[in-house]
Amino acid sequence: MYKMPHEIFNASVCGDNCAKWILKIGEMQDVTINLRHLMDFGDGEFTARILNTGQTVHNMDQLLPIAGMIVR
C-alpha cells in the first residue's frame, strides 16, 4: 500500500492485525482499500471516506452502521 498508493488493495486478506498499519499509511498518503469484512480500526480517531456512500467517518462508532449495510 505504501509503495503503490494508486492501487486498490483487498485489505480483508490482511486481517485485523494490519488495521493499525493501514491507518499509519493513510496518515501519510491516501490509500484505497476494499473490505469484505468489518475490520476493527480500534478505539482511536481516524478519517476514512466510504466510497460506496460518499460518507466520511472518524471512528468505529460512525463506521459500524455504514459497514453493516455494505459488508455481507
Side-chain angles (χ1 to χ4, degrees):
M1 290 179 204
Y2 176 72
K3 299 233 181 207
M4 299 169 41
H6 57 280
E7 298 291 333
I8 298 173
F9 295 92
N10 181 2
S12 287
V13 299
C14 298
D16 285 354
N17 59 323
C18 292
K20 72 176 184 178
W21 297 110
I22 293 169
L23 291 176
K24 286 185 183 283
I25 294 168
E27 289 174 0
M28 295 183 279
Q29 62 196 24
D30 287 345
V31 293
T32 302
I33 64 171
N34 179 44
L35 287 172
R36 299 281 182 180
H37 79 288
L38 180 57
M39 183 171 278
D40 183 2
F41 288 102
D43 296 329
E45 295 288 314
F46 57 86
T47 300
R49 185 165 162 251
I50 313 304
L51 295 180
N52 302 64
T53 66
Q55 294 168 282
T56 300
V57 298
H58 301 285
N59 56 49
M60 285 301 294
D61 288 337
Q62 294 175 356
L63 177 60
L64 282 172
I66 300 166
M69 293 184 305
I70 299 169
V71 175
R72 302 272 180 225

